[in-house]
Amino acid sequence: MAERRSARREPRFLIIGAGMAGILSAVKLAEAGLTDFTVYEKADRLGGTWRENTYPGISCDVPSHLYCYSFAPEPNWSHHFSPGAEIQAYFENVAHSHDVEKFIEYGQEITRCWFEDGRWHLETANGETDEGDFLIAATGVLHHPAYPDIEGLDSFEGSCFHSARWDHDVPLAGRRIGVIGTGSTAIQVVSALVPTVGKLTLFQRTPQWIMPQENAAYTEEEKEYFRAEPEVLAAMRDEISTLFADTFSNAVIDADSPQLKMIEVVCRENLENSVHDSELREKLRPNYRAACKRLIMSEDFYAAIQKPNAELVTEPIERIEPKGVRTADGRLHELDVLALATGFKVDRFMRPIKIIGRGGVALDDAWAERPTAYLAISVPEFPNLFMLNGPNGPVGNFSLIEVAELQFAYIMQLVELFRSGRAREVSASRAATQKFDEDRVEAAKNTIWQTGCSSWYLDDRGVPAAWPWTFARFRDEMNEPRLDDFELV
Ligand code: N01
C-alpha cells in the first residue's frame, strides 16, 4: 500500500464502501481538493446495493431524475423509474467521468477500525493496514441479507438463493419457482417472472398494499431535449423532489395526513378494480393501513398473480423439504427453484467490522441496545467517524442519494473544524445524541409506521428507527452543524 500520510496539514480520509455514498464522498473530496483518501471496497466492483441486487424485474421506485446525483444529472434514463442495471452503469460512469476509480481499492474487506492517538487505523482481511484522520462509513442500509429461520431450508434439493444473491446461472424458463416474501423485492420478482416460468408460487405471510405506478419509457425526443437543456433537467429534478416530499415523504410521518388518506383510497381501489376473484382479493387485502409497511409501487403485480401459472399461498410455511415447501395444511408445493425475498438485517450498518472508539469503547457495546447516532451521522466517543445513511436517518421514503449529499455537505463543515485548526477530534455529545433520540422516538408516534403492522422500519421495541420529521426539517438540520451539540477536542 502506498505511503499514506500527506505532507500538508490536510486530513486523510478512509472511506468504507464504494457504493452510492462512497462514490459521492470520493467525488466531493476530490472536488474540494482533498485528495488524500482511499475508498475501501470489499467486492471487485463498485455499486453497492445495485451491484448486489440483480434479481429479475429490479428497478428503483424513486423517480430516475431524482435518484441520481445533483452534480451528475443523467438525461438518458430509459424510464421514469430506472431499471437496476442502468443505475449500476450510472454509478460506474460517474466514478469514471469524475476520475475517482483510482482512489478505490477493491477486494479489501475492512475487518477492524480503531481510534488511537487521535487517528483512525484500519486493518483489512488481507492483513493490510492504513490510517487517517477521518473515517467515513458509506456502508449502506439494506446490505446484509436476512435469511428466514425456516426448518429444513438447507435440505432443499433445487436451487435456493436470497434475492440479493440472485444466481443467474440457474435457468428459470418453464420451471417451478417459489418466492418467499411480499416486500418490494418479491413483488418485482413475481411480476417479472410469471410471464416466463412454468409455475410461480408466491408464499405470502403478510399481504401488501400496492400503489399502481406506471413506468413509462422516455422517448428519444424527451432525452434529446434533456440533453440540450440541462437547466430544464435541473428544474425538473427540483420539481420532482418537492412533489415526492409533499405527496409521499412528508405524508408518511403524519398518520392523519390527507395525502395518506388519498394514498389509501388509491391502493384500495387498485385492489378492488384489479383483482377479479373475490377469494384471491381477500387474501391480498392487508389488515393494516397503506404505507405502514413501506408502500409498494407496481403496475403489474396484480395482473401477474392472477395468471393461470401463478399461485398465491397464504397457508403458513411449516418447513422446507428436499422437493419443495410444506405448508401448514400439509400440502407440499414442489419446486425447482426457491427465491428468498426475505429482506435485510437493517440494524447492522458498518458491522461486522469491529469499530473501536476513544478509550477502547466498541461500537458493538455502544450499540448494544440498538444502533443510534446523532442526526444519523455521529456517535459519541467515536470522534471523526461519520456515517452516510446511518441509523435513524431518512430511509425508505426518500431518495437516499439526496439524503447522502446533504449529509456529506454537513460532514464537510465538521471537517472544516479540523482543517482550520479549531478541533482535532469531533464527535456528537452524549447529551445531544440522547436528546435527538428522545425527540425522534416521541415524533415517531405520529407516523404511519407505528399504526399496527410489522416492518423493517421498526426496531426491537416496535419504535420506527427512521427520520420521523419532514424532509424540509432534514434539509434545515443539514444546513449547518449546531456546534453546541458536539464535543470538540
Ligand atoms: O424486504 P422486506 P425487501 N417466512 O423486508 C417476508 C427497498 N427496495 O427486499 O411482511 C415468510 O420489505 C416478510 O414478511 P412479513 C425498499 O426500501 C426498494 O422486499 O414480515 N416470510 C416480507 O414480506 C424495501 O422496503 C425497491 O410478514 C418471511 C418479506 O419477506 C426494502 O428494500 C425494490 C419470512 C421481506 O420484505 C426491503 O425490501 C426492492 C419468513 N420466515 C427493495 N421472513 C424499489 O425501489 C421474512 N419474510 C422498488
Side-chain angles (χ1 to χ4, degrees):
M1 233 174 262
E3 173 59 45
R4 299 300 184 196
R5 241 175 222 283
S6 163
R8 293 177 296 135
R9 181 65 182 85
E10 288 290 26
R12 168 160 174 73
F13 298 81
L14 309 170
I15 298 162
I16 318 176
M20 173 277 288
I23 296 162
L24 165 74
S25 307
V27 170
K28 289 288 160 188
L29 286 176
E31 197 178 277
L34 294 167
T35 52
D36 190 8
F37 67 89
T38 300
V39 182
Y40 285 90
E41 171 52 59
K42 65 177 155 50
D44 57 3
R45 207 173 153 208
L46 58 80
T49 200
W50 301 101
R51 177 196 63 228
E52 296 196 350
N53 286 271
T54 59
Y55 59 79
I58 184 169
S59 74
C60 182
D61 58 12
V62 174
S64 308
H65 290 288
L66 186 56
Y67 198 80
C68 53
Y69 300 117
S70 60
F71 56 84
E74 173 52 74
N76 301 310
W77 292 123
S78 68
H79 286 75
H80 286 244
F81 298 90
S82 309
E86 257 180 63
I87 301 175
Q88 171 67 20
Y90 170 79
F91 287 123
E92 286 172 1
N93 286 340
V94 170
H96 187 67
S97 62
H98 287 73
D99 199 22
V100 295
E101 287 154 316
K102 61 187 180 212
F103 296 104
I104 306 175
E105 289 212 12
Y106 291 104
Q108 288 278 22
E109 181 174 5
I110 297 175
T111 50
R112 206 161 68 91
C113 300
W114 66 102
F115 190 74
E116 192 180 312
D117 298 332
R119 295 198 104 203
W120 279 102
H121 302 249
L122 65 77
E123 192 173 77
T124 71
N126 305 341
E128 296 189 46
T129 58
D130 194 0
E131 62 181 272
D133 302 290
F134 287 94
L135 183 64
I136 308 274
T139 45
V141 187
L142 300 162
H143 178 54
H144 303 282
Y147 287 84
D149 185 15
I150 302 175
E151 187 194 324
L153 187 58
D154 291 341
S155 70
F156 183 58
E157 283 173 356
S159 305
C160 177
F161 42 79
H162 190 275
S163 54
R165 300 281 181 271
W166 198 274
D167 185 346
H168 291 277
D169 291 336
V170 173
L172 302 172
R175 303 181 82 201
R176 300 164 302 176
I177 319 296
V179 175
I180 299 182
T182 48
S184 305
T185 300
I187 298 305
Q188 291 186 330
V189 169
V190 169
S191 307
L193 288 189
V194 165
T196 56
V197 301
K199 171 152 194 210
L200 190 135
T201 307
L202 175 61
F203 296 93
Q204 169 185 285
R205 187 164 70 180
T206 314
Q208 291 269 6
W209 288 110
I210 311 276
M211 183 85 175
Q213 177 66 66
E214 280 184 18
N215 187 11
Y218 282 112
T219 62
E220 279 314 309
E221 291 72 37
E222 284 172 312
K223 290 187 229 169
E224 181 54 45
Y225 180 54
F226 296 149
R227 284 192 290 269
E229 309 279 351
E231 62 290 349
V232 170
L233 200 54
M236 194 170 83
R237 179 193 167 88
D238 290 346
E239 219 173 278
I240 296 172
S241 172
T242 308
L243 192 73
F244 196 73
D246 288 350
T247 56
F248 194 55
S249 316
N250 293 348
V252 292
I253 53 152
D254 174 7
D256 297 324
S257 68
Q259 301 98 309
L260 258 190
K261 303 236 156 83
M262 200 58 219
I263 288 172
E264 282 173 339
V265 169
V266 174
C267 288
R268 201 172 317 117
E269 283 179 358
N270 188 28
L271 176 66
E272 304 297 352
N273 299 337
S274 311
V275 183
H276 309 300
D277 177 79
S278 60
E279 201 179 318
L280 180 64
R281 192 161 59 233
E282 291 322 303
K283 284 182 176 177
L284 288 166
R285 189 187 302 279
N287 64 358
Y288 56 86
R289 291 183 58 190
C292 181
K293 282 174 178 285
R294 186 179 190 272
L295 194 59
I296 291 179
M297 321 275 179
S298 175
E299 63 178 330
D300 42 16
F301 169 70
Y302 283 148
I305 200 67
Q306 292 177 86
K307 293 281 187 228
N309 66 331
E311 184 182 0
L312 178 76
V313 173
T314 55
E315 280 291 327
I317 295 172
E318 197 162 86
R319 64 178 173 273
I320 292 170
E321 299 182 2
K323 298 281 174 229
V325 174
R326 176 86 61 184
T327 44
D329 54 359
R331 197 174 147 202
L332 176 66
H333 304 265
E334 291 198 24
L335 300 169
D336 303 308
V337 180
L338 181 58
L340 309 171
T342 42
F344 299 87
K345 295 181 203 158
V346 295
D347 65 348
R348 301 284 86 200
F349 295 95
M350 54 275 212
R351 295 177 288 179
I353 301 173
K354 293 273 170 248
I355 302 205
I356 311 292
R358 187 188 274 140
V361 55
L363 189 69
D364 267 334
D365 292 335
W367 284 358
E369 272 189 20
R370 60 194 64 87
T372 181
Y374 172 74
L375 289 175
I377 284 180
S378 175
V379 183
E381 304 305 332
F382 290 80
N384 300 359
L385 160 63
F386 300 126
M387 283 175 280
L388 294 164
N389 299 122
N392 315 135
V395 284
N397 302 289
F398 303 84
S399 163
L400 282 192
I401 301 186
E402 216 181 358
V403 169
E405 283 194 34
L406 290 165
Q407 290 175 326
F408 197 80
Y410 178 97
I411 291 167
M412 286 300 271
Q413 295 182 64
L414 297 174
V415 167
E416 194 50 38
L417 298 169
F418 179 100
R419 297 177 77 195
S420 66
R422 201 163 153 201
R424 275 207 68 97
E425 300 176 13
V426 181
S427 54
S429 73
R430 266 189 201 292
T433 306
Q434 193 179 336
K435 168 96 173 56
F436 170 73
D437 239 15
E438 286 165 4
D439 289 352
R440 77 164 179 84
V441 169
E442 186 57 33
K445 290 179 182 157
N446 303 323
T447 65
I448 187 71
W449 310 313
Q450 215 168 336
T451 55
C453 69
S454 74
S455 78
W456 64 265
Y457 291 137
L458 304 180
D459 68 20
D460 56 347
R461 302 166 293 180
V463 171
W467 185 259
W469 298 289
T470 61
F471 199 63
R473 174 160 171 171
F474 181 69
R475 247 180 226 289
D476 281 353
E477 290 280 8
M478 290 299 104
N479 217 13
E480 192 180 348
R482 279 192 299 269
L483 292 188
D484 288 349
D485 287 351
F486 285 88
E487 207 176 280
L488 308 182
V489 174

